[in-house]
Amino acid sequence: MTGTSTSAAICAGACALMLEWGVVQGHDVTLNTYRIRTFLVKGCTRDPNIEYPSYQWGYGSLNLLNTFNFLRP
């Protein structure tokens, strides 16, 4: 599977997991869409040879584990 239809579904699932972590589990009850976007961008995996944001790669490849590691106290 490739393309934006697949990536949109994967990203929606990642956002749902972040909302569960933040709101349902009580780690960050003020979590909103702007903060989720910021956290996902900070957690992206990036190629050091590409300048970001790029037209083809955006802010990098989604890496939810890296995002949660970033949020770890």
Side-chain angles (χ1 to χ4, degrees), residues 16-28:
L17 288 171
M18 289 198 66
L19 282 170
E20 178 187 8
W21 171 84
V23 177
V24 176
Q25 294 180 6
H27 295 283
D28 186 352

Side-chain angles (χ1 to χ4, degrees), residues 21-73:
W21 171 84
V23 177
V24 176
Q25 294 180 6
H27 295 283
D28 186 352
V29 294
T30 63
L31 196 61
N32 59 35
T33 56
Y34 300 109
R35 294 184 67 213
I36 289 173
R37 180 184 183 275
T38 300
F39 294 149
L40 289 177
V41 168
K42 286 184 179 272
C44 283
T45 302
R46 296 176 178 89
D47 184 334
N49 300 318
I50 299 175
E51 185 177 335
Y52 294 97
S54 98
Y55 177 75
Q56 184 176 10
W57 290 101
Y59 289 93
S61 299
L62 179 66
N63 185 337
L64 193 58
L65 179 60
N66 199 31
T67 299
F68 280 117
N69 286 336
F70 170 77
L71 293 171
R72 184 178 289 166

